[in-house]
Amino acid sequence: GLPFLIGAAFVAAGVIALFASPTGKPSRTFAFSSIWYALFLFTLFDYHTSRLFVPVFHLAYAMGPLGCFILPLRLPDDVDLLVRRPRLVYAAYGIGVALAAAVLVTHGLGRSTVLLRNVCGGLLGLSFIFFVCTILMRFSRAEGPRRDALRVLVGAMVPAHAPIGVAFLFSVAGIPGSTTLFCATPLFLLPPLATSLAFLRHNLWGTRRVLPRLPTRIGLATAGGIGGVVVG
């Protein structure tokens, strides 16, 4: 049940980001990444049991890492490299589409996807480590409001992405200890909560929209209730 809960949290955070800034590049990239995170988590249990949604799992497994490479370069705003060469984003997504197509075609032909899945797992682990290093580097150089927003993200993103990224790399390389590191998966509840907090307190998505009081209170009460159930 935990992957479904975390996936739902990512979907909610992605919807909040799009609602806050429908045309903003950081919010759209975050929403895009959240969808692939959620699809991966929603189909993870099925992949090991009934296997009804294997193609969806393969698609999310291939596309997810590429969004994770781009996202830290856009939080809270684009780095100079993306400003100068915005086509790098489309190139990264193109690689993800090509990898996903290769996995789906191989699976459809009834051949083994072990090698391609190892590539996806390695990319996912590397993307998580890249995410951690980039966020930490940007935080160390940030000042003022940008630093305040990044401080919230660092406190949530690093504890979640670092151990799971190492776990994926250990798993692909056959190094013992990956199973123990995967026990840190519940920490992935922190990133969607942190982005929502950074949006509320530090205007992470760069919007001027004002949240309506009653729906905001209902949303916070619901999140608090779910959090209490999870802790219990």
Side-chain angles (χ1 to χ4, degrees):
L2 185 63
F4 282 93
L5 179 63
I6 299 174
F10 271 106
V11 170
V15 170
I16 290 173
L18 284 181
F19 172 79
S21 181
T23 59
K25 293 179 180 179
S27 58
R28 286 187 297 176
T29 302
F30 175 76
F32 179 84
S33 301
S34 296
I35 289 299
W36 296 120
Y37 275 23
L39 284 177
F40 177 84
L41 292 166
F42 287 159
T43 56
L44 181 62
F45 184 73
D46 171 82
Y47 183 79
H48 294 87
T49 52
S50 60
R51 299 180 65 83
L52 295 176
F53 303 104
V54 169
V56 178
F57 175 84
H58 284 159
L59 183 63
Y61 202 16
M63 291 295 296
L66 281 305
C68 199
F69 274 116
I70 298 299
L71 185 58
L73 300 177
R74 285 196 152 164
L75 290 177
D77 46 33
D78 284 7
V79 298
D80 293 338
L81 178 63
L82 288 186
V83 173
R84 295 194 307 267
R85 300 187 178 184
R87 293 186 179 181
L88 287 176
V89 177
Y90 300 106
Y93 291 153
I95 294 173
V97 170
L99 181 58
V103 178
L104 292 174
V105 169
T106 303
H107 175 75
L109 294 176
R111 298 179 180 178
S112 174
T113 59
V114 171
L115 179 60
L116 290 170
R117 282 189 284 113
N118 284 341
V119 173
C120 294
L123 274 177
L124 192 59
L126 289 174
S127 70
F128 281 11
I129 300 301
F130 176 81
F131 192 108
V132 170
C133 294
T134 304
I135 285 291
L136 287 174
M137 183 176 66
R138 299 197 70 181
F139 173 70
S140 66
R141 298 181 177 182
E143 296 178 354
R146 294 177 73 255
R147 187 176 181 85
D148 293 335
L150 282 169
R151 181 180 291 109
V152 176
L153 298 180
V154 165
M157 301 294 191
V158 173
H161 286 78
I164 303 301
V166 174
F168 270 105
L169 294 178
F170 276 19
S171 178
V172 171
I175 300 175
S178 61
T179 303
T180 303
L181 289 170
F182 277 121
C183 291
T185 299
L187 290 174
F188 262 94
L189 273 172
L190 293 177
L193 297 177
T195 54
S196 300
L197 178 62
F199 161 59
L200 291 171
R201 296 191 62 181
H202 306 291
N203 195 21
L204 177 63
W205 307 124
T207 180
R208 293 184 178 180
R209 293 194 179 194
V210 177
L211 295 177
R213 180 172 299 178
L214 180 60
T216 301
R217 288 182 175 178
I218 293 174
L220 292 175
T222 302
I226 293 174
V229 172
V230 172
V231 172

